[in-house]
Each structure stands twice: as C-alpha cells, then as structure tokens.
C-alpha cells in the first residue's frame, strides 16, 4: 500500500534521514521505533508533505513525494501529529468538523462522527467542551477522532502515548487495534513505548540516526537482544 524508497530529508546542512526504505501493506500496523532524534517524526512529516524530501513515497502506486499536504489528505492519508495539535479554543465537535473539511456529503460526515463517538464515548459526552480543557488522554482521542473524520485509508500516529496517564495509554492502544480491525485501515505507528507498539503491530523498523538498521516482524524484534537492550528496557 505504501512503499517508501530511498527517502532522505535534510534541515539545511543537517541530514535527518539518509535514504530509508520500508513498506506498509494493506490493513497492516507497522511500528517505527528509535531513540530521540532518530528521524521518526521527520519520516511522518515527509509522507504528509509537511517537509521537503528526496526519494519516492509510493502510495497505491502513485508517487506522493512533495505534494502539498491537502493533496496527501485527499489521497487518503491522515496524520495524528506528536503533541496532538488540536484546536484548543474550539469545542470537541468543532475540532471533529475541521477534520472533515474535505468531505462534502453531510450523511457521510454524520456517520463518521457517530463512528468516532462510538469509538470514544468520552468525546460524545464532551462534545461541547472546549478542547483545550480536555485531559491529555482525551485530547489524544480527539486528535485520532479528527484524523478519522477525513476518512483515511492510511493513518499515521506520532507518539500517541506521550504525556498520557498509563491507564489511558492502554485504552488508546486498544482503540488503535479496533480502528485497524473495523476499518481495515493501515497504520504507521511511531512510538517510544516500544513494548506496547510491538505488541499491536505486525512488522517494525528500527531507525537510528536517520537510517533503518533493522526491519523484521514485531515478534522477531521483541526477541532480538539488541532491540531488547536498547528499546525494551532490557527485559
Ligand atoms: P523525537 O522522538 O525526539 O521526536 P525523532 O526520531 O522523531 O525524535 P526527528 O524529530 O525526526 O526525530 O529529528 C531528526 C533529526 O532532525 C534530529 O537531529 C533533529 O534535531 C533534526 N530536526 C528535526 N526538525 C528540525 C528542524 N525543524 N530544523 C532543524 N533540525 C531539525
């Protein structure tokens, strides 16, 4: 479904990604793990068209590299950014409406809204609440809900567990699996909680200083001594 080929990103003289390649199959969850500054966020931002890149980003056979972000969303790719980036002064309902800005059919938008509310009942209860007053976990739910409102076929999540109470992290990961199963959505997951991410994904890539040093099934990565020592707390 998505084939990244020889993707490079630089910020001025600083090279953040050095020609990485990986694939995400239809309906698959793939995890990208790596330490701070490895290039995980840059990978997602390049796919979303938020930063310039070199190399190919083939999505259903079409090269999306360097297209403007709205065309990437229109192609069916949605990005839940690190730090959530919700509209803090708007209500939950207004944030969700923003996610649907490319959709024209009112019936479809209402169905999507009901799907999001069904997935996250807390958002339904708080639909008139100003988003900036939600807890971190609720804001993450809203960010995911807003991304779903663009009716994606491919979802990218950047550190969904960041700054969230452990009990809600578990809920959010369960929901990620549910969304993947119910909608058949392919998901690219960037996550510092590598244990959890490798539990729910089929494949994983390990990124180190802008290069992919390992690519394997998540089960194999969880058994890999190097991965265990560096990313799984040596357990
Ligand atoms: P983290 O988990 O800390 O967010 P990451 O794996 O997502 O890390 P990136 O944010 O992609 O890593 O950063 C990769 C490299 O690019 C780092 O060396 C970082 O300092 C650099 N970088 C990222 N954004 C910029 C920017 N806007 N300007 C200059 N350098 C940047």
């Amino acid at each position: 479904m998505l084939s990244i080929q020889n993707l490079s990103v630089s910020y001025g003289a600083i090279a953040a990604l050095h020609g990485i390649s990986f694939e995400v199959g239809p309906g698959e969850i793939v995890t990208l793990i790596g330490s701070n500054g490895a290039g995980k966020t840059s990978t997602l931002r390049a796919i979303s068209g938020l930063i310039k890149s070199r190399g190919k980003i083939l999505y259903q056979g079409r090269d999306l590299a360097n297209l403007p972000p709205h065309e990437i969303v229109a192609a069916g790719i949605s990005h839940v950014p690190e730090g959530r980036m919700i509209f803090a002064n708007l209500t939950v309902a207004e944030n969700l409406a923003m996610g649907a800005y490319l959709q024209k059919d009112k019936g479809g938008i209402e169905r999507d809204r009901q799907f999001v509310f069904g997935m996250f009942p807390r958002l339904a209860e708080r639909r008139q609440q100003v988003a900036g007053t939600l807890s971190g976990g609720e804001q993450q739910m809203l960010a995911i809900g807003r991304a779903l409102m663009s009716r994606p076929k491919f979802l990218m999540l950047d550190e969904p567990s960041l700054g969230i109470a452990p009990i809600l992290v578990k809920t959010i990961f369960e929901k990620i699996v549910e969304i993947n199963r119910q909608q058949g959505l392919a998901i690219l997951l960037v996550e510092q909680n590598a244990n959890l991410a490798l539990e729910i994904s089929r494949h994983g890539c390990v990124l180190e200083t802008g290069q992919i040093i390992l690519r394997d099934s998540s089960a194999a990565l969880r058994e890999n001594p190097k991965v265990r020592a560096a990313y799984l707390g040596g357990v």
Side-chain angles (χ1 to χ4, degrees):
M1 181 170 207
L2 182 84
S3 174
I4 301 293
Q5 297 176 1
N6 212 15
L7 185 73
S8 298
V9 165
S10 299
Y11 299 99
I14 301 167
L17 289 178
H18 305 271
I20 64 166
S21 301
F22 65 94
E23 298 194 343
V24 182
E28 192 177 45
I29 303 181
V30 171
T31 294
L32 212 49
I33 55 179
S35 44
N36 287 339
K40 306 179 297 297
T41 297
S42 299
T43 305
L44 301 195
R45 289 175 64 81
I47 297 171
S48 279
L50 296 168
I51 49 174
K52 292 270 168 256
S53 60
R54 294 183 304 283
K56 287 200 165 113
I57 302 172
L58 295 178
Y59 172 71
Q60 298 181 322
R62 175 181 170 210
D63 191 359
L64 301 183
N66 298 309
L67 287 181
H70 67 270
E71 283 192 39
I72 309 281
V73 176
I77 298 183
S78 197
H79 181 173
V80 181
E82 185 175 351
R84 309 183 277 271
M85 305 295 173
I86 52 151
F87 301 103
N89 297 324
L90 301 184
T91 65
V92 167
E94 287 165 344
N95 267 274
L96 292 180
M98 296 295 276
Y101 75 99
L102 285 177
Q103 310 303 329
K104 301 283 173 253
D105 55 324
K106 286 214 172 105
I109 294 173
E110 185 50 31
R111 267 196 304 282
D112 294 339
R113 229 165 72 99
Q114 291 312 323
F115 176 78
V116 170
F117 284 155
M119 190 60 72
F120 300 111
R122 279 195 196 213
L123 296 183
E125 289 161 18
R126 291 163 170 75
R127 67 184 80 190
Q128 295 310 333
Q129 189 170 326
V130 172
T133 63
L134 296 171
S135 76
E138 290 161 359
Q139 289 188 19
Q140 187 65 54
M141 293 175 193
L142 179 58
I144 296 172
R146 184 183 57 185
L148 292 176
M149 292 298 294
S150 69
R151 227 170 277 165
K153 299 184 201 80
F154 183 80
L155 185 65
M156 300 193 290
L157 299 161
D158 196 350
E159 306 272 15
S161 77
L162 202 68
I164 292 179
I167 185 153
L168 277 187
V169 170
K170 197 165 166 285
T171 306
I172 283 172
F173 271 70
E174 284 166 5
K175 296 297 180 182
I176 293 171
V177 172
E178 224 176 300
I179 290 163
N180 166 254
R181 297 221 173 112
Q182 284 195 24
Q183 302 272 51
L185 261 183
I187 295 178
L188 179 58
L189 175 63
V190 161
E191 183 49 61
Q192 54 168 339
N193 189 334
N195 257 317
L196 215 52
L198 290 174
E199 252 174 51
I200 68 162
S201 56
R202 191 177 304 163
H203 291 105
C205 302
V206 179
L207 202 55
E208 262 183 31
T209 53
Q211 301 190 54
I212 290 182
I213 56 147
L214 270 175
R215 224 176 349 199
D216 213 332
S217 71
S218 297
L221 288 176
R222 284 163 71 189
E223 297 305 320
N224 183 306
K226 190 172 156 59
V227 175
R228 290 170 82 96
Y231 303 104
L232 302 177
V235 288

